[in-house]
Amino acid sequence: MRNLEHNPAQNDSLCNACMTPALILQLREETRRSGADAIIRAQDVCEYGIRSLSVSPLTDGWYMVRYKWNRDSDYIEIPLKAANCESGLKILHITPTRLGSRYGDDLLPQD
């Protein structure tokens, strides 16, 4: 989130280090289609969102990322799946915005 706010160019290297190539392509397409960043489900970032960011484990490699726009707003919840790969821990899937806070291996793309 700080990269979006202060140095968007660093996001490419961060995404390459932390996500699978297939996920990066999927997120780019979803961002292009929706006009909002598919990783954070928003068009921009606010300082309160950065401070309120939290990640909680769910089950089977799934995690819930949460943040708020302000003290009174509801949490934005973004489920994601991560796993150890040859090059370290990688994010394999971020639930698309249209699916809300749903998570589970049944949402993963079938190769």
Side-chain angles (χ1 to χ4, degrees):
M1 290 177 86
R2 287 200 189 283
N3 285 346
L4 284 174
E5 185 71 11
H6 303 290
N7 191 352
Q10 283 188 330
N11 269 356
D12 287 339
S13 60
L14 182 61
C15 287
N16 288 330
C18 298
M19 297 178 187
T20 64
L23 177 59
I24 293 168
L25 290 174
Q26 174 191 345
L27 293 172
R28 283 183 185 152
E29 178 59 25
E30 186 169 331
T31 296
R32 185 195 62 73
R33 211 174 343 166
S34 70
D37 186 291
I39 298 171
I40 64 167
R41 297 183 176 179
Q43 290 181 325
D44 53 8
V45 178
C46 67
E47 196 60 39
Y48 193 88
I50 293 170
R51 288 194 318 268
S52 67
L53 183 72
S54 68
V55 180
S56 305
L58 296 169
T59 184
D60 297 326
W62 284 90
Y63 297 85
M64 185 65 76
V65 177
R66 291 183 176 98
Y67 72 93
K68 292 177 132 188
W69 278 104
N70 60 53
R71 180 178 307 140
D72 300 322
S73 69
D74 291 333
Y75 276 98
I76 295 168
E77 296 185 320
I78 308 164
L80 62 83
K81 171 110 180 179
N84 282 315
C85 298
E86 336 46 79
S87 58
L89 188 66
K90 295 268 187 177
I91 300 171
L92 307 175
H93 183 76
I94 298 176
T95 299
T97 304
R98 69 183 179 283
L99 297 177
S101 59
R102 289 181 48 201
Y103 68 93
D105 289 351
D106 61 316
L107 298 178
L108 299 176
Q110 302 301 314
D111 294 327

